[in-house]
Amino acid sequence: MNEKLEDFSRFDPFLGTILKMGKGRLKIYLGWAPGTGKTRRALLDLNAMKERGVDVVIGWIEENLRPDVFRLSEMFETIPPVGIHIGSESFPEMDLEFILKRRPSTVFVDELAHGNVLGSRHQNRWEDIEEILDAGISVVTTLNSMHVQDLSEAAGGILGYPVQEIVPVDFIKRADEVVVVDLPPSELTIRIREGNVFPKEQIERALKGAFRESNLIKLRGMTLEFMAKVLDSQLTRQGGKKGVYERITVLVSEHTPSLERLVGYAGNLSRRMGGELLVLHLRKISFLGKRSPPDQEILSRFQQEARGAGGKFSILWTRNPGWTLWRFIQRTKTTRLVMGHAGTQSPWRKSLVRSVLRYFSRIDVEIHLIPTLGQPHPVESAPESDSFLPVSSGMKGRLTLFLGAAAGIGKTYRMLQEAQDRKTSGTDVVVGYLETHRRQETQQMAEGLRVIPRKMISYHGLVLGEMDVDEILRLKPELVLVDELAHSNPPGFLNKKRYQDVLLFLEAGIHVFTTLNVQHLESLNDLIEFQTGIRVHETVPDSTVLLASEIVLVDLTAEALQSRLMEGKVYPLQKVEEALRNFFTKNNLTALRELAMQCVLGGGRGRVIRSGRGGRILAGVSDRPEDAALIRRGAVLSDRLNLELCVLSVRREPGEGLYSKMLLDLTQSFGGIFLSEVSGKKWNEHFVERCHDINPSLVLLGQSAWRPGFESTAEIIARNLNQFPLLIIPLDIRDHVVEK
C-alpha cells in the first residue's frame, strides 16, 4: 500500500474505510434546494482526497454545470454514461457495470434521488449506489432534502406540488457522513435570478411560484430541523449528553380541565421550542398489586389530546410516582417536565410537586409548574411561516454571519469564497482582519482581495497586529471582512471587543462579513459547558447575532474535522493529541453541530419575534454569579416564546452588589430590563409581591441541589405562588473541568 495513504488512513475515517475490504463508505452532501452548491462543495472535498492519492472518479454528474463547477469536474476521470434505448430514443444513465468493473476507491454520483429510466438495472439511483457500496467502493453523492422520505410530503406542501423522486430515510441513516450545504435564501434567490439554477424561461415562474423566498426560508428551516434531530439521535447513541433537541414530558391526570390545559400548554411549548412532546399518565398500583386500567372514555380522551398536540401518549403503573417519573425522564432524555401546580396543597410535604423540586435538581431537567385551577397565560403559537422574511435591524450596513460548530470547520474559507464572488460582481471589498492560520487553501482564496494593513500595538512586551478600525471607517468600503467576531481587543483600544468594532462599521453603512463559532454565543455559554465540560470566556451577545441579515451555516462532520485536526490544519501538531482528548471529541463536535443548526433556526425566529413581543418573562436573581445562567436561559426562552425578558434582583442592603454590574450588563446585552430593588423582607416574600405587580406570563427561578433539612427558595415560592406558570431550572449540577 502507498505509504502516504497508510499515514493518512490512521486518522481519516473515510480514507481508512476505502483502504480496507468490505462495504464502501457513504457520504451525502445535503442541500435544502437546487442551487445551494452541493456539487461544488463535494468536488472540492474530493479533489483534496485525490491530491492525497485516492483513486476518485465521477460516475455521474449533472449536464448543465456552472462554469466554475465544470472546471472542477475536469480534474477527475469521468465515466461516460451508457445509453438506455426505449424505442427509437436513447436516454443517458450512469454506467453501473463499468463502475463495478473499473473498481475505483471512490466514485462521485450526483443527484441521489434520480429515478432511472425503464430498462435500467435498478429503478432508482440510490439502489445503484447500494450495489456500488456492497462491492466495496465508497460513494460521495448529493441530495436535496425535499426528496428525503420523511420530508417529501411537507416539502410538497411548501412547493405546491407533490415531490416524485423519494429516497428512503433508512438509506439516509445508513450514511457514514451527512454534510449540510447551506446558503442564505436571499443569495439563492440571486442565483436563480442570474440563471445559475433554472433555464431562463423558468426563472420568473420559479421566483414567483414554488421557489419564492418565503418558500426557500421554509425549506431551509425544515432541513436544518431534520438534521438537528438526526444529530441529536446520533449523539445519544454515542453515549453523549442528552443533546440539545427539546423533549418535553407533560404529566397528566384524569381531571379533564387540567388535562386540556396542561397538554395545550405543553403542545404550544414544544412547537415554539422545536421539540418532541411526550404525554405521560401515572397510575398507582394498589397495596395488593392490583393494576386498575383507566376508564375507556378517559383513555380515549388522553390519546385524543396527545394526538391533537402532536405528542405520544404513555401509561405507566407505579407504587412510587416520583421514582417512576424520574426513571421515565432519564430513559427518554427529557429536557422539560410540565406538570400541574400544587400550590398550597395540604399537606405540601406529600405532594408530587414537592418531591420533584426536591430530588430532580440533581438531574438536568427544567420543570414547568402550570396553574390548573385558573387559566394560565398562553404560550403563543409560532407565526405563520410566510412571516419569516428578514426584518430590518435598523442598521445602515448589513451583517452576514458565517457560523460553524468549531475552529477549523471552514468558516473563513467560505467567507472568502462569497467575498470573491461579490468582488467579481463589482462590489468594493476589503479585508479588515483575516486569520488564515497559515492554511494554504485559505491564503489562496484570499488572493486578489485588498487588505487593510494591521495596526501594530505593543502589549506586555509583544507587538500585536490588530484591525485598523479608524482606517476602515475613513475608507468606507462597501463590504469589509472581519474574521473571529468573538475576539477581545487589547487594552487601549476604543472598544473592548471586536463585535463592538463591527457595530461601528454597520452604523457607518458598511456591510460586514464575519465568522463565529457557536460556542462563543452568550446565551449558549452554560449549555456549551454542560455538553463539553469547557467554560468559554470570549462571548458575543445574542443581540449582535440577531442584527445579522443572514446567518450562513458552515457544516463539517465530526470525523472530517478530526481528520483536519490530525493533518495540522487547525492547531500545531504538538497540540493535536490534547485537543482530541478534550474539546474535539466526537460527542462534543456532534453536539456543537446540532447547536449550530439550532442557532441558525433560532436566528430566523429572533429577527421576527423582536419586532413585537407579547407578555413578559420574569427571572428572579440574587447577587451571585451562578444566576447569570438563569439570565441566559431566560434570554433563550424570551426569543422562543415571544416574551420580553425582565430580571428582578432583590438585595437586603442598599448600594451596588458584588455581581450586580455583571448581571445588569448581561441582561442588557439580551435587550432585557434589569430591576434592582432593596427590601427588608425575605427574598421570597418580596419576589412574590412583585410578581403580582408585574403580572408576568412566566416566572423563572433557579433551583440549587437539595440539602437535607432545608427547603429551597424555589420550593417556598412554588408553595405560595400558584397563579402564574413557574419554570424551575437546576443551577449547580455541572462539574466544570476545563477553562478556555
Side-chain angles (χ1 to χ4, degrees), residues 573-592:
L573 288 172
Q574 60 268 28
K575 294 185 177 180
V576 167
E577 189 175 341
E578 182 185 356
L580 286 171
R581 254 195 336 263
N582 296 315
F583 192 75
F584 285 80
T585 65
K586 188 174 182 180
N587 283 350
N588 283 354
L589 295 176
T590 302
L592 290 167

Side-chain angles (χ1 to χ4, degrees), residues 179-248:
V179 179
V180 175
V181 182
D182 189 35
L183 185 75
S186 61
E187 288 296 319
L188 182 53
T189 299
I190 293 170
R191 287 189 182 184
I192 294 173
R193 187 171 288 116
E194 291 176 347
N196 292 322
V197 181
F198 301 113
K200 285 184 179 179
E201 63 273 13
Q202 296 180 15
I203 291 174
E204 282 305 309
R205 187 174 63 182
L207 290 174
K208 291 179 180 177
F211 293 93
R212 60 184 181 271
E213 190 169 344
S214 60
N215 282 0
L216 297 180
I217 292 169
K218 295 174 194 175
L219 290 171
R220 187 196 198 198
M222 178 188 74
T223 305
L224 293 177
E225 190 168 349
F226 169 75
M227 271 307 299
K229 291 177 182 178
V230 169
L231 289 172
D232 195 88
S233 174
Q234 187 182 105
L235 179 62
T236 52
R237 284 200 311 271
Q238 289 167 191
K241 302 287 193 338
K242 64 177 64 177
V244 298
Y245 177 63
E246 296 280 0
R247 289 181 179 84
I248 299 168

